[in-house]
Amino acid sequence: MFLRLFKYLWPERYLPEPQQADPFNDNPPPRPPAGVGVVLVNLGTPETTAPRDIRRYLAAFLSDPRVIEIPRYLWLPILHGMVLVRRPRRLQPRYEGIWMEGGSPLLVYSRRQAEGVQQALTARGLAVRVELAMRYGEPSIEQAVERLRQQGCDHILVVPLYPQFAASTTATVVDAVAAHARRLRDQPELRFVKRFHDDPGYLDALAGRISAFWQAHGRPQKLLMSFHGLPRYSVELGDPYYRDCVETARLLRERLQLTPDQVEVTFQSRFGAARWLEPYTEPTLKELAAQGVTDIDVVCPGFVADCLETLEEISQECRDAFIAAGGRQFRYIPALNDDPAWIEALAALVDNHLQGWPTRSSATRTLDAGVSAVAERDG
């Protein structure tokens, strides 16, 4: 510590003799071209189905103060003394039931989305690098940003893969990126996509996926749109999440040309004893079955990639509850995942938010310059 202080106060005593031109007295070296990068960010997943990996993931996720808005001195003893002791082993068989060859469905489909967006942007003639990151777990946001910086990207667009904005999801991504940028001396220029709940491409991809499912399997009596839940007090404090969800549901219903009585909007994945956004998904399914609804389809517009909450909670637990309550047919319509229409819509969304940045390849810029010169000459 004292040596660092001396180096700061009297740097000339410790700096080696310059071996090359002094940048303060000579012309500075040329600045390299500023590249453009994109980070697609999803929530995260355990690396394996082993309890230790589930515990590591949950510890990172549930210790985020934006996710659990309980005073730390109250929550952390509960988290480490109860939740992380019991919950990983209870979740292990649930994760094992949905695991894919390449890992968790969330990671597999998120990778395919990143690869697809990279290909789509390249096909558009854009010189843009795309990286995938997870808010909790691997690959981390720090790793993704550094990979882009190493490739010369001085402009970085961050795209949280949450259609509807919530402080407990999108805002945590902004927090993590800002925390990493704070440690950098040469920071990249940053942009963020806040939400895309009403993006036409996203909605069209959802409507197309549902319509294709119905064309292949027939229509149900009702369509239930289940969004991830959120504590009610979060909305009361100003979180716009509920409004975003309701607007997505309305726009999607209009695209499908359904009447309000043909659609139910609910919220799932309640955690803890607090009151969350209502109506809750599973109780609503039981009530519908009791009312005589026998055939129902469920879609989760807030999840762009299938995960534990869709493949296990909805497709298995909620199905069992609906059938046990008297329902006859329950079908889960898969998330957008790697649907080509969704990949193209996501690429278009990214392209739109990159406007004004140097995204054109050198060959394209040369061609454009030549066209402009000819146009000016022929005036």
Side-chain angles (χ1 to χ4, degrees), residues 133-161:
M134 293 292 164
R135 176 60 185 90
Y136 311 100
E138 304 289 339
S140 69
I141 288 175
E142 294 83 356
Q143 291 168 344
V145 170
E146 286 310 301
R147 279 195 295 268
L148 291 175
R149 293 181 69 233
Q150 290 167 8
Q151 297 175 77
C153 296
D154 197 45
H155 302 75
I156 297 178
L157 172 69
V158 181
V159 187
L161 293 173

Side-chain angles (χ1 to χ4, degrees), residues 124 199-205 339-350:
R124 290 169 175 244
D199 177 74
Y202 156 71
L203 292 167
D204 288 343
D339 187 309
W342 161 236
I343 298 298
E344 186 57 36
L346 184 54
L349 178 74
V350 168

Side-chain angles (χ1 to χ4, degrees), residues 292-321:
V293 175
T294 58
D295 302 330
I296 196 164
D297 286 354
V298 179
V299 66
C300 299
F303 298 88
V304 298
D306 275 317
C307 57
L308 189 71
E309 284 82 358
T310 63
L311 297 177
E312 206 277 340
E313 180 182 357
I314 296 296
S315 188
Q316 297 180 34
E317 290 185 359
C318 285
R319 177 190 179 279
D320 292 345

